[in-house]
Amino acid sequence: MTPLPEAIRRVFAAACIGDALGAATEAMHPADIVAVFGGRVDRLLPSPPKAPFAAGLTPGRLTDDATQMLAMARRIVRAGGRPSLDDAVGGMLDWAEDADVFARFAGPTTRIAVEQLKAGVDPAAVASPALYSCMFGTSNGGAMRAPAAGCARPGHPAEAARLAALLSAPTHNTQIACGGAGAVAAAIATGLGGASLAELEAAAITGARVGEAEATTWGRVVGGAGVIRRIGMAAEIGRDHRGDVHTTAAELTEVVGNGVAMAEAVPHAIGLVIAAEGNAWQAILGAVNGGNDSDTIAMIAGAIAAAYEPSDSWPADILVEIERQNGLDLAAFAAEFATAIGETA
């Protein structure tokens, strides 16, 4: 079995690769991706001028997805592996200190919530608006942070899901958001615990149930589709098209969607992981070339798949460039993270 620090490094690395690679294709249609880039994207490329968020961004730079994950991971380290709600709030404020990333990429819920947190508003009030809302708090921000929770509780999916809900709470405290975050964290924790890919779907559904239960206790219950049934649908699509991530992505887009909604992004990512047979690089490419919320879905899919594969499946030079562009040493950070959570082997 891979030593835990190395396995954690792989999850963080795959998440960063998915995020950086997907930044160039975000909001695009798959046909436009082929037309604009001259084929499917499989390397770091500049975003086209019509890109709504990443235009002008240096290829290899991270967006809100991986930067939120890393901000929460650093807070987990500072908290000795046992973060509180205050640490989760602090992680969001740490992340928002990068003014360019915040201005470019903050999502519809996160932008409003962080601005209120900066103003000193009570986190409970920030995540619970005064009016009924089925939109505020149901997007996929919590899933961006969830890989840090999964890595913090290897082999303990229910604990990972509860931690993911906590990290989601400052901005996304609905049962939909916490269910999606719980699914991602539990899937990763299960893989890091040595399980096979055959256990992924059940782990994700278990994590989603735990996350939903957490939000039902202390968050908000809102109308709208959750992730549990959609995970099952997406997993079936992935099995039906095993080995062909692009056909899988197209079918997933038609059935569950590939937008910013939690109930679209997380099931879509899980379906791609199953179609890719746990190969993180192939899962990432399926998401990147599917467009729409490509960076988030690629980040989630890469992180989940990497928890199950025994070695890096991506081109080494891509990770080297991402680490250079963002001032990262993921091997050193993963070792620090593993020590902080009390697991070094």
Side-chain angles (χ1 to χ4, degrees), residues 252-302:
L252 287 168
T253 298
E254 291 298 320
V255 176
V256 301
N258 66 337
V260 301
M262 185 68 89
E264 296 184 19
V266 167
H268 191 115
I270 289 170
L272 285 176
V273 173
I274 291 171
E277 300 178 288
N279 182 292
W281 179 238
Q282 289 303 312
I284 287 168
L285 293 181
V288 166
N289 290 285
N292 204 344
D293 200 12
S294 50
D295 55 340
T296 305
I297 296 173
M299 180 258 199
I300 297 168

Side-chain angles (χ1 to χ4, degrees), residues 172-197:
H172 299 70
N173 70 343
T174 66
Q175 92 283 7
I176 294 171
C178 292
V184 174
I188 290 170
T190 298
L192 292 178
S196 72
L197 191 66

Side-chain angles (χ1 to χ4, degrees), residues 97-302:
E97 288 180 2
D98 188 327
D100 182 52
V101 168
F102 182 76
R104 281 178 180 269
F105 298 113
T109 294
T110 300
R111 184 178 301 277
I112 295 170
V114 167
E115 287 172 348
Q116 292 182 1
L117 290 171
K118 285 180 176 179
V121 177
D122 181 354
V126 167
S128 297
L131 302 177
Y132 290 123
S133 175
C134 295
M135 297 180 62
F136 188 85
T138 60
S139 51
N140 56 28
M144 301 175 188
R145 308 162 209 163
C151 288
R153 301 291 182 267
H156 302 283
E159 291 183 21
R162 282 189 282 272
L163 179 54
L166 175 73
L167 301 183
S168 180
T171 57
H172 299 70
N173 70 343
T174 66
Q175 92 283 7
I176 294 171
C178 292
V184 174
I188 290 170
T190 298
L192 292 178
S196 72
L197 191 66
E199 298 175 65
L200 165 60
E201 180 184 355
I205 290 173
T206 296
R209 290 196 174 109
V210 171
E212 286 188 356
E214 288 290 300
T216 300
T217 300
W218 46 251
R220 287 189 298 135
V221 176
V222 299
V227 300
I228 292 175
R229 291 186 64 184
R230 290 182 174 209
I231 288 170
M233 295 163 62
E236 188 64 29
I237 290 169
R239 285 189 288 269
D240 287 346
H241 301 286
R242 197 183 302 271
D244 185 348
V245 293
H246 301 296
T247 298
T248 301
E251 183 67 9
L252 287 168
T253 298
E254 291 298 320
V255 176
V256 301
N258 66 337
V260 301
M262 185 68 89
E264 296 184 19
V266 167
H268 191 115
I270 289 170
L272 285 176
V273 173
I274 291 171
E277 300 178 288
N279 182 292
W281 179 238
Q282 289 303 312
I284 287 168
L285 293 181
V288 166
N289 290 285
N292 204 344
D293 200 12
S294 50
D295 55 340
T296 305
I297 296 173
M299 180 258 199
I300 297 168

Side-chain angles (χ1 to χ4, degrees), residues 11-26 41 43-45 47 53-54 57-70 95 101 105 144 147 280-281 283-285 287-288 293-303 318 322 326 328:
V11 171
F12 287 156
C16 290
I17 292 169
D19 181 30
L21 210 69
T25 62
E26 186 176 10
V41 171
R43 61 192 185 281
L44 297 170
L45 294 171
S47 300
F53 308 112
L57 192 73
T58 303
R61 287 294 305 277
L62 299 175
T63 79
D64 55 328
D65 304 289
T67 54
Q68 285 191 35
M69 173 192 73
L70 292 171
W95 167 76
V101 168
F105 298 113
M144 301 175 188
W281 179 238
I284 287 168
L285 293 181
V288 166
D293 200 12
S294 50
D295 55 340
T296 305
I297 296 173
M299 180 258 199
I300 297 168
I318 289 180
I322 290 170
N326 297 279
L328 298 173

Side-chain angles (χ1 to χ4, degrees), residues 4 8 11-12 66-92 94-95 142-154 159-168 170 181 185 188-189 192 333-343:
L4 187 61
I8 290 172
V11 171
F12 287 156
T67 54
Q68 285 191 35
M69 173 192 73
L70 292 171
M72 289 300 180
R74 293 183 184 108
R75 281 284 174 163
I76 290 171
V77 169
R78 288 175 59 179
R82 297 290 172 183
S84 65
L85 179 59
D86 286 343
D87 293 308
V89 171
M92 291 308 302
D94 294 344
W95 167 76
M144 301 175 188
R145 308 162 209 163
C151 288
R153 301 291 182 267
E159 291 183 21
R162 282 189 282 272
L163 179 54
L166 175 73
L167 301 183
S168 180
I188 290 170
L192 292 178
F333 179 66
E336 182 183 8
F337 188 93
T339 298
I341 64 171
E343 302 273 358

